[in-house]
Amino acid sequence: MTGMTVGAWRSMLEVHAALIGELADAFQGQHDLSVSEFDVLVNLDVRQPIRHGELSERVILSRTALTRLVDRLVARGLVRRETDPVDQRAVRIGLTPAGRRLRADSARTNRRIVEAFFAPLDADSLTALHAATITLLERNSAARDPSYPPKGPSR
């Protein structure tokens, strides 16, 4: 690795850690929610339940970790499980009314923090950053998984 590559890598890690730290503090303090719980709530369809497998493609968790996290969200009354009417072997996950409210409230918190975090960048810098990260994701993910990116909603 060149010095520039290592520096870019280190900067990406530090930016990620800083932003996730701010989000984690805000989600916990304002919504009693972890970042992973927010990731699940925001990736559920507000109109109808989705299959567990589809949710696992949208979130950044292993299937096992997702199952445990969904168990906790069910226990808190934020999501519900139901049998898929088309395939009785499949399980669908849906938001409860309380889950929809928390999703909306925490999404506003997420937007506020992300916008403030990136506020020092002008439009050209944001465009360049977005293009660079998309290029990295597409080139590296396509090499491992030709179906990347997942077809889920954008965050």
Side-chain angles (χ1 to χ4, degrees), residues 11-147:
S11 295
M12 284 175 47
L13 289 175
E14 290 175 0
V15 165
H16 177 264
L19 181 54
I20 291 297
E22 285 189 37
L23 289 168
D25 290 347
F27 289 152
Q28 190 61 52
Q30 296 173 33
H31 307 290
D32 191 27
L33 200 63
S34 71
V35 172
S36 293
E37 289 168 334
F38 171 77
D39 191 26
V40 168
L41 292 179
V42 79
N43 277 291
L44 285 170
D45 191 312
V46 295
R47 297 172 309 273
Q48 64 186 15
I50 63 172
R51 285 183 166 204
H52 190 276
E54 183 180 348
L55 180 59
S56 71
E57 291 172 6
R58 293 180 180 188
V59 299
I60 306 171
L61 289 171
S62 69
R63 284 182 87 85
T64 303
L66 176 60
T67 298
R68 288 191 305 264
L69 192 143
V70 167
D71 288 343
R72 291 192 306 271
L73 294 173
V74 167
R76 290 179 59 189
L78 299 172
V79 301
R80 69 183 186 288
R81 283 191 177 96
E82 61 184 49
T83 303
D84 188 324
V86 176
D87 179 357
Q88 297 293 311
R89 298 167 298 167
V91 173
R92 298 187 329 169
I93 312 296
L95 291 164
T96 64
R100 277 198 260 332
R101 284 189 301 275
L102 183 57
R103 180 188 193 273
D105 291 346
S106 58
R108 282 189 291 275
T109 299
N110 182 73
R111 182 180 187 97
R112 178 180 46 79
I113 289 171
V114 170
E115 286 178 351
F117 191 89
F118 285 96
L121 300 180
D122 63 20
D124 290 340
S125 296
L126 282 171
T127 300
L129 177 61
H130 186 242
T133 56
I134 292 300
T135 298
L136 289 171
L137 289 170
E138 287 175 349
R139 289 193 182 159
N140 290 294
S141 296
R144 290 189 308 272
D145 179 6
S147 68

